[in-house]
Amino acid sequence: MPVKEKKGVRLEHISKIYQDPKTKADFFAVRDVSLDIAPGSFVTLLGPSGCGKTTTLRMIAGFESPDEGEIFLGGEPINALTPNRRDTAMVFQSYALFPHYNVFDNVAYGLRLRKVPKDEIQRRVTDILKLVELSGMESRMTNQLSGGQQQRVALARALVVEPGVLLFDEPLSNLDAKLRVQMRTEIRRIQQILGITAIYVTHDQSEAMSISDQIILMKQGVVAQMGTPMEIYYHPVSEFVADFIGECSFLEGEVRKADGERVTLDIGGHEVYAECSRTPQVGETVKLVVRPEAIEIRDEGILPGKVELSCFMGSHQYYHVRVGDTLVKITDNCPRNKKIYQAGDTAYLSFQAECAHVL
Amino acid sequence: MSKRQSARLDRKKFFADPVMVITILILFLFLALFILYPLATLLVDSVLVRGTVLYSVEDYTSGDSWVFYNQEGQVATSDREAAFIRVYPAKEEGDPVYLPVYRSKGLFASQANVGETTGEMYLKVVNSRDRSVYLRMQDLLTVQEIPATYRKNSRLIKKMDGIEMTDICVQVSDNQWTVDAFPRIFRDYTFNRALRNTLLLGALTGFGSLLVGLLFAYVDVYVHVRSRVTKKLFDVVSVLPVVSPPFVLSLSMILLFGRAGLITRKLLGIYDSDIYGLWGIVIVQTLTFFPVVYLMLKGLLKNIDPSMEEAARDMGASRWHVFTTVTLPLMLPGLGNAFLVTFIESVADFANPMIIGGSYDTLATTIYLRITGGTYDINGASAMAVVLLALTLCLFLIQKYILEKKTAATLSGKASRARMLIEDRSVRYPLSLFCVLVSVFVVLMYIAVPFGALFKLWGRDYSLSTKWFEQMFREGGWKAFRDSFILSLIASPVTALLSMIISYLVVKKKFHGKAFIEFVSMLAMAVPGTVLGVGFIRGFAGGVFRTGFLQSIYGTGLILVIVFVVRSLPVGTRSGISALRQIDRSIEESAYDLGAGSGKVFTSVTLPLIKDSFFSGLVTTFVRSITAISAVILLVTPRYLLITCRINEYAEKGEYGVACAYATVLILITYAAILIMNAVVKRFGTSKNGSGNTREENS
C-alpha cells in the first residue's frame, strides 16, 4: 500500500514568540529555524524540554502560527491553512483516541470525513489494521486495549488517510521501556514500507538515533545541529550536542600541531592525537570529546588517571577516572577476561585518534 | 520581536471556519440582546425620565376610529395614505400638532378605537396587518407602549381617567436625563424598608443555611453514621429542595404552621400562630438553600487532609479545639463562599416572600408590586431593580473572583487517605439526631403538600376528596400544564446545546471576545429573576431601543422560552466547562488534524464525550424552567398559563387546596423528569459501543 504522494516539508526562517505568563515578557520559543525535509525521509526533532521541538511540530500541523517565516508542504506555502486543510496527520503523545468509538470507527474517522465510499473504507481500514498487526480487533473499544495497541490504533488512524507527511509528538513516552523499543522499530518498519515522510519529536536521544534518517537537535528554540545520527554522534559541533547525544567526557588541551583534520593536543603534558572538522590555531585551548566506549583502560597508555568509581554492569565495567581535573567516563566492554580496576587504582587511558573529536 | 504575523495567520485561520464564526456571532448577539441589553435598559430607565406632554386627539369619540391625515395635512381617504394624526395640547392653548404614524414594519397600531364589553372599557388597536388587540383599561396602565404609533421617541399612551372617551389623550414623550430616580427611591419609605428587609433576610438565611449545611456536611464526612436509612435520608433531603418548585416549602409551612396549621392548631392548639413575615421566610429559605451549602461544604471537607487534623490531635488538641483551630480556618473562604451564594439566592428569591412574606416586603416583591400594582412607577421600579442588581452583582463578583479562588488555593489537594470517622457517642448522637430531625422535618413538609390537595378543607375537614384537583382542571389546569410543559420542553434542548457550545468555545478555543461570552453567560447567575423580568419588559415592550424591532416577541411564548434559556444557561455552562476541562485537548486536535472543521469536531467528538453533562443540562433546564416564577410572572400574558403563576395566584387568594393540587402535579412532573434523565444517562452514558462499525460490517 504505497502512499499516494510523498511530500517534502520546508521551513524558511521560522520563529515563534510566546509570552511568559509570569513576567509578561515575550521570548522566542522557536527562533529562525530553517529545515528542508526530503520526501520519504524520517526526521527527528530532538532536544530537552522547552527547546521548541513540539512547537515546531505544531506549527507544521497548523495548531500554532509562526511569527516569522513560511512553511511549505510539498512546495506549497501552508501558513494560512487550518490543521484540517493540511495534508498532515499527527500521532499524539496521549494517543488522543476517541473513547466513544471502537477501533474501526477510530481508524475510519478521517476517511469518513473525506467522504470515501463505504467499501473502500472497509478495505483500507482492514489493510492498515493488518499492517499495524491489529486485525480482528476492529470492534474493541479503545479502553479495552493495552498501551501498545492504543499506540498502533493511533498510528493506523493517522496512516489510513495517506497524509503527505506524518507527524509524531513524543508518541512512545507513555509506554514502558521495553515496549518503547519494540514500538519504535515497528514505527520505523511501517514508515519504510510505506515510504512516507515522517517528522518525529522526542526528547529521548536513543530513540532518535535508532529511528531517524536525520536528526535535528534543538536547544532554546534554535537548531543546534542537524545531520545523520552518525554525524551527530561522531562530529558534534558543540558541548551541548556532544553531551545530549550519548555519554561523553570532555578533556581540555592545547593544540600543538594542526594538520588538516588531524591535530595533536597537549593534555596535562601528554601528547594526544585527535580529529577535528575545522583547523584550529596552534596554541589554542580546545575541548576534546571522547565517548566512553572508545577509551581503553590498561596498565599502560597515554593518559594516566586515578580510578574513582568502578561498577560492574553486566555487559561492561563502568569507570570514573580522574585525569587531571576532569572526570572521564569509561565503559569497558566484555569485562569477563579483563583486569578489573578498583577505586583508588591508577590506570592509563588511550583511544584512537578517529574516535576523539575536537570541538 | 513582533507577534503580528501569527496574529494575522490566526485571524485568517479563524475566519476560514465559517461555522465557528457564525456560531460565535450568534452567541454574541444572543447574549448581548437577551442578557446585557435588558440590564442596560434598566440602567437607562433609572436615569432617563421619560417626561410626557399630553395632547388630546381631535375628533375622537366613543366608537369612532382615528382620523388620519395624509402627507399634505388633508384627511386621509384610505389607510394607505395615512401619515399623521392631529393632536392638540391638552392643558394649555396651542396649535395642533401633526404626529407621524409609524407603520413601515406593519407591527404597530394604525387604528385604535374605544369600546365597551361586559361593562369593561377597552381600547381596540388594529395594526397594519389587520390584527387587532383588545386592551383592557387596566392593562393600558401596564402596557403603555403598545400603541407605539409614533416614530422613535414619540409614543402614544392613553390616559384612563374615568370612562370619558373624550378625555383620552395622546402622550408625547419629552425625554430628559436625570439622576432624580435614585435620590427619590432612597427617600422612599417602602424602598428603604424593602432594602433593609432584604439585607436582613439575606443575612439570616445565609447564616441559617450555613449552620445547618455545615452540620450536615460535618456529620456526613466526619461522623460515623451507622444506619443506612439515615444516609439515604440525607441524600433525599439534599436533592429534594433542588428539584422542587421554590414555593412548595412555603405552602406546606402555611399548611403545617399557619393559622389553620395542622401542627400549630390541631396538635398544639395555638390559634393565633403567625408565620407570615420574616421568620417564616427565613425558615423556608433556610430549608430550601441549606442543601446547596451542604453539597458545597461536603466537597471541601473531603479535600481536607486528615493527617493535618491528626497531627493537631496528636499534639494534644481536643476535638473541639481541632475543629476551631484547624478545620474551620481551612474552610473559612469556603464558608464565606457558601454564605454569599445563599445570600444571593435569598435576595433574589421571589416566590417565598410572595407567599409567606405577609407584609414583609423584600426588594424583589416590591419591584413586582410597583409594576403590577396600582402605581405603575417604571422609573422607580427600574431604579430599584438596578439597586438589587448592583447588590447581587457585587456579591457575585466577590464570591466568584475572590472567595472561589481562595477556596481553591487553600483546599485544592486531595485527602491522602481515608479519614478515621468519629465514633464518640457524645458527638455522634446529638449531631446525627439534629440532622435526622431536620431531614424528617423537610420530608414532612413535602408530604404535607399532596395531602393539602387531597383533604377536603385543611384545618376543618380532614376527609379525602378530589375536589381540589377537579377545581384545578376545571379552571384551566390542563392548559397550564400543557403551556408550562411545552415551553419548558422547548427551552431545555436549546439551553443544553447552547451551554455545551459555550463551554466548548470557552475551554477549547482561542478568540477575541471569549472572556465576554464566558462572563456574560455566568453573569445571568447573579441576576435576580425579578430584575431580568423588569429588564425584559422595559427592553422589549416597545421593541429593541424602542424601534419596534423584536417587539412582536413581547407577550408571546417565545420571550418566556428565552427567559427560561437565559436563567438556566449559567448552570449548564458551568457543568459543561468542568466536564470539558477533564478532556485532553489533543482528542479534539486529532479530529481537527484528520480533517474535521470546528462544527464536525463538536458534533462528532466533543458532544459525545460530554453527553452526560448535556443530558443533565437538558433535565436541569426543564426542571428549572417548569418551576421558574420570578422572571416569567412579570412577562406572562393571559395567552399562556403557567403552573407556577397559577400556584402563586391561588396561594395569594388563600385557596391552598388548589395551589397544593398544582404543586403536587408539578413535583410529580419534575420527579419524573429526573427519573427519566437517570434512566437515559444509564442507558447511553455507560454503553460506549459505537453503532458505526456494526453498520459497516453489515453492509
Side-chain angles (χ1 to χ4, degrees), chain A residues 16-18 26-28 58 61-69 79-86 88-90 92 94 96-102 104-105 109-110 112-114 118 122 138-139 141 157-158 161, chain B residues 1-7 9-10 12-14 16-18 510 584-598 600-601 603-606 608-609 611 688-697 699:
Chain A
K16 176 75 189 170
I17 297 162
Y18 278 147
D26 286 349
F27 68 94
F28 280 105
R58 289 173 64 82
F63 295 121
E64 313 276 349
S65 304
D67 281 303
E68 280 163 24
N79 263 5
L81 287 185
T82 50
N84 53 336
R85 307 230 166 104
R86 294 188 183 197
T88 59
M90 186 141 155
F92 288 82
S94 56
L97 299 180
F98 306 130
H100 56 298
Y101 288 156
N102 62 18
F104 186 96
D105 291 330
Y109 186 84
R112 290 197 178 126
L113 283 174
R114 285 164 179 71
K118 262 187 182 175
Q122 180 73 37
E138 284 87 347
S139 52
M141 294 311 284
R157 186 178 63 178
V161 297
Chain B
M1 244 199 282
S2 117
K3 301 197 65 169
R4 234 176 303 156
Q5 179 176 325
S6 65
L9 289 173
D10 286 341
K12 239 183 185 171
K13 287 180 189 174
F14 176 77
D17 201 342
K510 266 196 292 189
D584 189 356
R585 190 173 61 155
S586 60
I587 291 188
E588 274 125 359
E589 278 182 350
S590 71
Y592 195 21
D593 189 52
L594 285 168
S598 285
K600 187 74 190 169
V601 171
T603 51
S604 71
V605 177
T606 313
L609 289 181
K611 57 177 181 257
K688 297 234 168 184
N689 288 315
S691 55
N693 184 39
T694 43
R695 219 177 34 240
E696 291 294 341
E697 278 170 353
S699 61

Side-chain angles (χ1 to χ4, degrees), chain B residues 185-204 278 282 343 346-347 360-364 366 387-388 391:
Chain B
I185 59 160
F186 276 105
R187 279 195 306 270
D188 186 339
Y189 173 69
T190 29
F191 169 78
N192 279 317
R193 196 186 50 191
L195 183 61
R196 268 202 314 276
N197 284 351
T198 307
L199 292 174
L200 180 64
L201 175 65
L204 287 174
L278 176 62
V282 168
F343 196 109
S346 157
V347 166
Y360 192 85
D361 283 329
T362 64
L363 274 182
T366 310
V387 173
L388 179 56
L391 182 68

Side-chain angles (χ1 to χ4, degrees), chain B residues 312-352:
Chain B
R313 281 287 273 172
D314 192 46
M315 286 183 276
S318 70
R319 195 159 266 145
W320 175 247
H321 200 77
V322 171
F323 181 76
T324 51
T325 57
V326 180
T327 317
L328 209 55
L330 272 177
M331 54 190 309
L332 210 53
L335 288 177
N337 198 3
F339 174 76
L340 284 189
V341 168
T342 9
F343 196 109
I344 295 173
E345 293 267 5
S346 157
V347 166
D349 187 16
F350 168 78
N352 289 315

